[in-house]
Amino acid sequence: MKKIIFLSMLISTMIYAEAVNVKKYIVNSGDYKITYDGEEREFITGINPGYGSALTFKGEDKDGNLEFYAVTDRGPNGDIPKYIENDKETAGKFFPVPDFTPSIGVIKVKRNKAEIVDSIPLRNSFGEKISGRVIPKGLLGTTGEIPLNFDMSRLNNDIDGLDTEGIAVDKNGNFWLCDEYGPFIVKADKHGKIIEKYGPKEGLPEILKYRVPNRGFEGITIDEKGYVYAAVQSPLDINGETKKTAGYTRIIKFNPETKESVIYAYPVDKGYKNFGAAKIGDICSVGNGKFLVIEQGKQNGKMQNLIYMIDINGADEIENNGDLEYGKLKKLNPAKKELILDLRKYGWDIEKAEGLTVLPDGKTIAVVNDNDFGIATKIEDPDHIDSEMEDYIYDGNKKEFTYKGKTAPKAKVIMTQNSKSERESKIWLFEMDKK
C-alpha cells in the first residue's frame, strides 16, 4: 500500500502534454451476470453487471496481471412515467432486480483481455446483504423516491439501502465507500461487512443534507497520511435555491481517527447550461495535497469527460453553512485545477466516466465507465405505437395508465438494452507523457 501511494505521488509533480499510449479493454462479465426473471428476450442470459461506479488499484497477481477493485451503484434501475398518488406527483424508480446487492468486484486485466474474477456483496452490521432500494421517507438519506416493480406495484424500501459511488482501501485492508443517498461514507471490512457509517450530522457536516437527490458523494479516496476525501457530485441545493447557480461543489476531508471533517471548494467549469449540470465522476489522491478528478457533463450541447489535477494546498476551509453556494465568500481560495486529460480526444464515446485510479508506475491513469447495467426502460402500448414514456401518467390509487388524458389499458413498462457502446463495461489505461 505504501509503495503504491509513494509511486502514485510521482504523478503530482508532472505536467502533462498528452497520453502517449492508450490501451482499451471491454470487461468480460464471466460468471457474474445478474439473474433476471422478466420476459424480455434480450436478458434471457442475465443482465450485464455494472462494476464501474468507482475504481481503485488492488495490485498484481502472481503472473503480473493488473487487478482493480471496482464497485457497483444501487443496481439495475430505470425511469418511470409520471406517477401520481393522492393527486400529487411522486418521484420513483423501477428496480427490475429488487434484491440486488451493491457489490465490490475485482477486475483483472491481462495482456489482451479484462474480466471480472470476484465479487464481494455489501452486508449490514448483522451480516445481512443490503440492497440498493431507496431509504424510507423521513429517514436520513432518503431521496423521496418510491421503488417500483415493472407491474407498477410498490416494493419495500430498505433502511440499509446504499447507492455506492466510490471506493478506496486503507492500510489495514478495509474498504471505504461513499454513496449518493445520504450522502454516506461507510467503512467495510475485507468481507464487505459494514462496520462504520457516517452521514450529515451523524459524523459528517450537516450542510451535506442539501445534496441534490441522487447527487451525493460520487468519489472517495485516501491520501498518504490516511485521510479520507469524498467529493460531492454537483453543487448543493441550499433550501432548494442554489443547485443551478452555485459555481462550486464540495470536497470533504475526513479524519478516520478523530472523526473530524474539513471542507474545500471545488470550482466547476463554466459552459454548462447551468452549474447544476456539472458532475464529478471520481477522485483519486496522488499525494502532497493533489488529486485527479473526473468532471463531466454537456457543454454547448456536447458531452465532455475531463480529468483535472486539483491542488488543495492553500485552499480555504469552508464553513458548515451555505455561504459558498450563495456566493457570499468574496475572497475565496478554492482548490486549484488544471486539465491534464480530455478523454474524448482519445475516442471515449461513453456518457459516464465514473472510476479513476493511478497505477504504481506513477504515470498510467485507469478509467472505467458506468454502463448502467446495460438497461433502459420504455413504454409498450399497441394502441399508441409511437408513444413515449413522458406521454403517460400512472395513477397509483386507481392503478391505471392514462395517455394524454385517456385511459391506456394495454400500456406496460418493459426493459430494453441501451446502445452497444453504453452497455459494455470498459477499462482504459492512459500512459501519460510529461512535458
Side-chain angles (χ1 to χ4, degrees):
M1 182 69 179
K2 290 182 179 179
K3 181 180 179 182
I4 293 172
I5 292 174
F6 173 75
L7 289 170
S8 68
M9 286 171 63
L10 297 175
I11 205 168
S12 70
T13 66
M14 297 180 180
I15 302 175
Y16 293 101
E18 59 182 4
V20 294
N21 187 27
V22 183
K23 296 179 181 179
K24 306 176 182 181
Y25 302 88
I26 295 173
V27 180
N28 189 302
S29 58
D31 298 327
Y32 294 94
K33 277 204 167 186
I34 302 164
T35 301
Y36 174 60
D37 296 328
E39 299 176 355
E40 294 89 341
R41 295 184 62 185
E42 301 100 311
F43 304 100
I44 193 169
T45 61
I47 297 174
N48 285 341
Y51 296 95
S53 286
L55 191 72
T56 194
F57 188 64
K58 178 179 182 289
E60 295 183 0
D61 69 10
K62 60 182 178 58
D63 298 316
N65 299 308
L66 302 176
E67 291 188 334
F68 301 85
Y69 287 120
V71 71
T72 71
D73 59 19
R74 60 180 168 177
N77 67 86
D79 293 335
I80 69 171
K82 184 181 290 185
Y83 189 94
I84 303 296
E85 192 171 73
N86 299 325
D87 297 322
K88 293 182 179 180
E89 185 175 347
T90 302
K93 282 287 183 182
F94 288 117
F95 288 84
V97 188
D99 294 326
F100 174 84
T101 299
S103 301
I104 299 164
V106 177
I107 299 175
K108 186 189 292 286
V109 177
K110 299 182 179 180
R111 179 177 296 181
N112 297 315
K113 68 176 183 178
E115 61 183 339
I116 301 165
V117 297
D118 197 9
S119 183
I120 305 168
L122 293 178
R123 301 175 184 272
N124 63 20
S125 58
F126 299 104
E128 303 162 334
K129 289 183 179 179
I130 68 168
S131 78
R133 296 193 307 276
V134 183
I135 295 170
K137 290 184 179 181
L139 298 184
L140 177 65
T142 186
T143 61
E145 298 168 305
I146 55 169
L148 294 172
N149 219 329
F150 278 148
D151 62 2
M152 304 304 293
S153 61
R154 288 278 199 116
L155 296 168
N156 292 329
N157 294 85
D158 187 352
I159 194 171
D160 294 314
L162 288 176
D163 188 359
T164 42
E165 292 288 349
I167 186 169
V169 182
D170 67 21
K171 63 182 181 180
N172 296 316
N174 296 305
F175 295 109
W176 287 80
L177 304 111
C178 65
D179 121 298
E180 292 195 282
Y181 281 156
F184 298 114
I185 290 176
V186 300
K187 177 182 178 181
D189 66 20
K190 63 181 181 180
H191 304 294
K193 182 178 179 180
I194 296 171
I195 51 181
E196 296 176 17
K197 185 175 183 179
Y198 306 94
K201 207 176 179 180
E202 294 186 0
L204 296 177
E206 184 179 9
I207 194 73
L208 296 173
K209 70 182 182 182
Y210 291 111
R211 58 91 181 97
V212 175
N214 297 314
R215 296 282 190 92
F217 287 136
E218 188 69 19
I220 197 168
T221 189
I222 300 174
D223 72 5
E224 71 278 12
K225 297 178 182 178
Y227 294 117
V228 176
Y229 293 80
V232 181
Q233 185 178 37
S234 299
L236 299 180
D237 192 21
I238 311 298
N239 297 319
E241 298 174 334
T242 63
K243 68 179 180 180
K244 295 182 179 181
T245 57
Y248 302 89
T249 188
R250 296 184 181 227
I251 294 174
I252 310 302
K253 176 184 178 182
F254 177 73
N255 186 328
E257 300 298 327
T258 66
K259 317 304 181 188
E260 297 175 325
S261 296
V262 175
I263 305 173
Y264 299 102
Y266 172 92
V268 299
D269 286 347
K270 298 178 180 178
Y272 303 105
K273 62 179 180 180
N274 58 65
F275 288 120
K279 298 180 181 180
I280 300 300
D282 203 359
I283 184 171
C284 175
S285 172
V286 293
N288 297 325
K290 297 182 179 182
F291 305 82
L292 298 184
V293 170
I294 298 174
E295 183 179 333
Q296 54 197 350
K298 285 188 177 180
Q299 295 187 20
N300 301 316
K302 295 181 179 180
M303 191 66 193
Q304 300 288 323
N305 306 90
L306 306 171
I307 296 180
Y308 285 97
M309 175 79 73
I310 70 165
D311 187 345
I312 63 171
N313 292 296
D316 293 337
E317 295 183 8
I318 307 302
E319 295 294 328
N320 185 29
N321 58 35
D323 288 353
L324 175 68
E325 286 72 22
Y326 283 114
K328 296 180 179 180
L329 303 177
K330 302 304 181 184
K331 296 182 179 180
L332 173 65
N333 292 307
K336 298 184 289 289
K337 59 190 288 191
E338 176 186 5
L339 180 65
I340 66 166
L341 184 60
D342 180 346
L343 298 183
R344 296 267 153 179
K345 179 180 177 181
Y346 297 93
W348 186 272
D349 61 351
I350 315 161
E351 179 184 350
K352 298 178 179 180
E354 290 200 0
L356 168 72
T357 195
V358 178
L359 269 60
D361 63 7
K363 62 179 181 179
T364 302
I365 299 171
V367 179
V368 292
N369 69 308
D370 176 6
N371 71 340
D372 286 331
F373 298 87
I375 70 170
T377 53
K378 68 177 184 178
I379 284 278
E380 189 175 78
D381 185 355
D383 291 337
H384 307 283
I385 295 175
D386 297 325
S387 58
E388 301 289 342
M389 184 86 78
E390 54 266 28
D391 297 328
Y392 290 83
I393 295 173
Y394 186 83
D395 190 308
N397 298 114
K398 297 179 180 179
K399 308 293 184 186
E400 66 180 20
F401 283 102
T402 57
Y403 173 76
K404 296 184 177 180
K406 295 183 179 181
T407 302
K410 297 179 183 178
K412 65 177 181 179
V413 179
I414 65 170
M415 191 166 72
T416 185
Q417 292 181 330
N418 58 14
S419 69
K420 185 174 186 296
S421 175
E422 292 292 335
R423 70 176 176 260
E424 292 175 336
S425 291
K426 301 176 183 179
I427 183 167
W428 288 20
L429 305 180
F430 297 86
E431 182 183 346
M432 304 299 293
D433 185 24
K434 63 179 180 178
K435 293 178 181 178

